[in-house]
Amino acid sequence: MNQFCETYIKISRENLKHNAKYFKDLSNKKLIAVIKSNAYGHGLLEVASVLKTEADLFAVASLDSAIALRNGDIDLPILVLNPLNIEFVGIAVNNDIMITISSLNDAQLIEERYKHFEKKVLVHIKIDSGMNRMGLKSIEEYQAILKFIKKSEVLKAVGVYTHFHSPHNIIYSKSQQEKFLEIYQSIPYEFKYVHLCSTSATLNNLDIKQSTHVRIGLGLYGLCESNYVKPVLSMYSKVVIEKEVKKGETVGYNANFKAYQDAIIGVMPLGYSDGIIRKNTGRKVYIDGNYCDIIGNICMNSMMINLPQKGLTADVEIIGPHIKAIYIAKHLQTITYEVTTVLPPHIKRIVE
Ligand SMILES: Cc1ncc(COP(=O)(O)O)c(C=O)c1O
């Protein structure tokens, strides 16, 4: 992490907790907090430390993130969502980390490889209800895997889940609900965790009475379209050099900006290696009551803005209350997920 740098990210503890409570109240279910990919760029341990009192389980994509949580003294249950190489299953078990499985073959390989293990391998079975990414697709596969696990000395099924691919589309989502229920109900089994709904799925009322948890990512960070959630992340840097340029002079690589009048250019010590990719050129930042354009090509470690005057010493808001993630996402022609998830771990996160 860069300690001696002007660029930093602020995480609002209060807003993070508010959002978590909102989704618990709205769904009336327990909360699986999705904190994969460095908590969508917000900071894995920073977010986990705040949410450990609100969430019942943390979901991450990789075993590395799960181990980082354990090393950071997080003792809540953890689920790895991505498939895990059989070789690493023992490490997961030794750290009390649950894994996802999607095939009888994987269950059989785990049984064979870990039959001498003292602790059981706790698994969530993933059902593919239509996304065609991970999970088993048929009643036959589900019954085979569940029957196998019921007899197993090594594995224990604790969870079952699926994921909606288009939670804004009622036709697709109803069909996914039906497919999940058809498979899940084809054989009775008492799971501790039954979970389907992401942020949009929860907001769009796609949950079923059989579920126990909702599995929320984006909404925790206040990045979804809802009037009831609050943004959690803001990012700031400083103008470290002020430069006067004359009308007609150019700024930065490839002379991509030409001053149409005399101007004051502010140089800030962050660039595309800090997650502010080059497509951000042309959008605004905010300083001391002024919205300023990002100009010229963004460099690897620096970027330039067009200042209204000299001597503005306030921190420059790169993302925050005046420069919202949704505005940035529109400018970048992407989704809000990507705006924060690309912010790398070396940027200092301050929780307050
Ligand atoms: C399997 C799974 N569950 C839940 C989520 C959380 O989704 P959201 O961030 O839309 O709440 C994701 C996000 O990508 C996911 O892949």
Side-chain angles (χ1 to χ4, degrees):
M1 189 205 292
N2 287 352
Q3 294 287 1
F4 311 113
C5 183
E6 311 286 359
T7 305
Y8 64 96
I9 285 170
K10 258 204 255 178
I11 299 297
S12 163
R13 177 182 288 113
E14 196 184 317
N15 289 1
L16 194 48
K17 284 195 173 210
H18 163 90
N19 297 339
K21 286 195 177 92
Y22 172 71
F23 279 98
K24 284 196 288 186
D25 288 349
L26 178 70
S27 64
N28 215 8
K29 299 281 160 83
K30 292 182 185 155
L31 176 67
I32 298 177
V34 181
I35 55 170
K36 60 185 185 158
S37 297
N38 202 25
Y40 291 37
H42 290 59
L44 180 70
L45 281 176
E46 289 85 349
V47 167
S49 309
V50 175
L51 290 184
K52 66 184 179 189
T53 51
E54 303 299 332
D56 295 278
L57 186 157
F58 285 133
V60 290
S62 69
L63 182 58
D64 290 272
S65 297
I67 300 284
L69 287 171
R70 288 288 178 251
N71 290 342
D73 284 336
I74 299 294
D75 51 17
L76 225 63
I78 299 174
L79 169 66
V80 174
L81 297 167
N82 269 4
L84 187 61
N85 185 316
I86 303 292
E87 285 307 306
F88 305 136
V89 167
I91 298 170
V93 174
N94 283 335
N95 285 280
D96 290 325
I97 290 160
M98 298 182 278
I99 62 167
T100 297
I101 56 166
S102 299
S103 75
L104 177 60
N105 188 43
D106 280 355
Q108 288 167 333
L109 288 172
I110 293 172
E111 171 91 8
E112 184 53 31
R113 174 84 168 70
Y114 294 98
K115 59 184 169 220
H116 302 304
F117 250 57
E118 281 181 9
K119 279 190 188 169
K120 283 208 162 186
V121 184
L122 303 188
V123 300
H124 290 227
I125 300 170
K126 179 95 186 252
I127 293 177
D128 182 354
S129 54
M131 181 144 177
N132 280 315
R133 185 175 63 170
M134 289 164 220
L136 51 85
K137 290 180 78 162
S138 69
I139 290 181
E140 293 71 31
E141 286 172 281
Y142 180 70
Q143 292 193 347
I145 196 169
L146 204 51
K147 281 180 187 158
F148 179 83
I149 294 176
K150 273 180 172 175
K151 283 195 255 149
S152 170
E153 295 284 311
V154 177
L155 294 115
K156 181 170 187 217
V158 289
V160 61
Y161 71 105
T162 194
H163 191 46
F164 291 103
H165 58 78
S166 310
H168 295 100
N169 181 310
I170 193 74
I171 296 171
Y172 279 136
S173 301
K174 284 284 162 206
S175 136
Q176 285 195 262
Q177 263 185 0
E178 277 163 27
K179 176 110 197 244
F180 176 80
L181 278 170
E182 190 190 1
I183 295 177
Y184 162 71
Q185 289 176 330
S186 71
I187 176 167
Y189 186 84
E190 214 31 54
F191 288 99
K192 185 171 179 194
Y193 305 95
V194 180
H195 43 112
L196 294 78
C197 280
S198 60
T199 300
S200 297
T202 306
L203 292 171
N204 290 327
N205 262 322
L206 294 178
D207 215 351
I208 53 173
K209 67 173 189 304
Q210 291 85 346
S211 79
T212 56
H213 292 68
V214 286
R215 212 173 51 243
I216 309 291
L218 198 71
L220 293 176
Y221 311 107
L223 295 171
C224 58
E225 285 178 33
S226 158
N227 294 330
Y228 300 102
V229 297
K230 300 179 182 178
V232 167
L233 177 145
S234 42
M235 181 180 186
Y236 300 89
S237 193
K238 276 230 184 275
V239 171
V240 288
I241 297 172
E242 285 178 341
K243 200 167 277 285
E244 289 179 29
V245 300
K246 293 277 173 234
K247 179 177 175 185
E249 281 191 290
T250 67
V251 175
Y253 283 121
N254 305 114
N256 207 17
F257 174 83
K258 193 174 202 172
Y260 52 87
Q261 60 184 33
D262 291 358
I264 314 290
I265 304 304
V267 183
M268 295 192 290
L270 79 163
Y272 57 78
S273 70
D274 302 290
I276 306 302
I277 61 167
R278 283 163 42 116
K279 276 191 180 167
N280 280 279
T281 291
R283 78 152 169 99
K284 308 281 183 193
V285 296
Y286 182 86
I287 176 169
D288 249 348
N290 304 284
Y291 289 90
C292 309
D293 288 329
I294 300 175
I295 56 158
N297 280 342
I298 293 176
C299 313
M300 193 181 292
N301 308 103
S302 51
M303 58 192 259
M304 283 68 93
I305 58 175
N306 203 349
L307 290 169
Q309 65 189 76
K310 276 186 143 183
L312 297 178
T313 53
D315 289 357
V316 182
E317 183 184 311
I318 315 291
I319 306 173
H322 305 92
I323 308 290
K324 299 210 160 69
I326 184 109
Y327 154 71
I328 301 170
K330 278 199 184 119
H331 181 89
L332 300 177
Q333 292 178 305
T334 185
I335 48 179
T336 49
Y337 294 79
E338 211 177 2
V339 173
T340 59
T341 304
V342 296
L343 300 173
H346 68 251
I347 302 172
K348 186 168 41 184
R349 268 87 176 158
I350 301 166
V351 181
E352 56 177 43

